[in-house]
Amino acid sequence: MEKPDIKGREGIKRLVDSFYDKVLKDEVIGFFFTDVAAINLKEHLPKMYDFWKNMLFRTQSYGRNAMMPHLRLNQKEPLQPQHFTRWLELFDETIDSFFSDPVADEAKHRAKVVTMSISRNTAAIQSGQIDVRGLGL
Ligand code: HEM
């Protein structure tokens, strides 16, 4: 079947909504969203549309800091390797249903880079290599 064209904002919205449908009911990571951060979807999803539009099509639509919310989350409930693995699994599944290669490969690669960067920081905080007092969390 032909993969949908997701270039416009409507397409990105479908991609992100579909990812969050999986994430929110996921047994491994869902609770970070529903309980630990208790996100307000109406506020959260538009940020994610902007973020992914920027990531995939370099639209300059996201100017926030994506790292800090995850470091704050990690203070409430440690983010562990299995959480990152699961996040990536769900993301890759979603991407594959929307894109064909090479865009799919690029999107998955970029998500992996961000995952590594978040997990490097959270692991360093958990092991005491980074002192959170200096981070203003
Ligand atoms: C285990 C992995 C992850 C978990 C459990 C997780 C969870 C969350 C939660 C709960 C929030 C909302 C925080 C708040 O508003 O208080 C959030 C925000 C966000 N996440 Fe993640 N996340 C993960 C990995 C990632 C990755 C790999 C990316 C990017 C590729 C990402 C991108 C974002 C962005 C852009 C925001 C919005 C930040 C903002 O502008 O406020 N997340 N995440």
Side-chain angles (χ1 to χ4, degrees):
M1 198 181 71
E2 192 70 5
K3 302 264 167 81
D5 173 14
I6 73 144
K7 284 217 173 73
R9 183 158 182 107
E10 204 38 48
I12 291 283
K13 182 176 181 309
R14 297 216 321 271
L15 167 81
V16 171
D17 290 351
S18 156
F19 178 57
Y20 272 82
D21 280 348
K22 293 176 200 268
V23 162
L24 291 173
K25 55 180 191 243
D26 188 71
E27 284 185 6
V28 183
I29 58 169
F31 74 103
F32 279 105
F33 297 84
T34 55
D35 298 354
V36 184
I39 55 166
N40 173 342
L41 279 179
K42 276 210 181 93
E43 287 171 13
H44 180 71
L45 290 178
K47 290 180 206 161
M48 301 313 291
Y49 304 149
D50 288 342
F51 176 81
W52 283 111
K53 209 171 162 209
N54 189 50
M55 260 312 225
L56 301 177
F57 306 116
R58 297 174 180 84
T59 48
Q60 310 294 322
S61 49
Y62 182 82
R64 299 161 58 86
N65 180 338
M67 183 61 69
M68 292 309 253
H70 298 97
L71 301 189
R72 273 193 289 272
L73 200 61
N74 180 60
Q75 289 304 102
K76 295 187 189 162
E77 178 75 31
L79 285 161
Q80 307 284 5
Q82 70 269 21
H83 301 132
F84 293 107
T85 304
R86 185 63 183 147
W87 191 101
L88 276 176
E89 256 169 32
L90 295 176
F91 184 76
D92 287 1
E93 256 176 50
T94 313
I95 283 291
D96 282 336
S97 63
F98 280 87
F99 292 113
S100 308
D101 293 344
V103 186
D105 285 345
E106 164 75 6
K108 287 188 269 188
H109 172 71
R110 293 183 67 97
K112 199 163 179 201
V113 170
V114 178
T115 302
M116 286 189 310
S117 144
I118 299 175
S119 62
R120 215 177 14 246
N121 281 312
T122 52
I125 289 170
Q126 287 164 22
S127 70
Q129 275 173 283
I130 294 180
D131 185 348
V132 285
R133 284 174 304 180
L135 297 177
L137 291 178

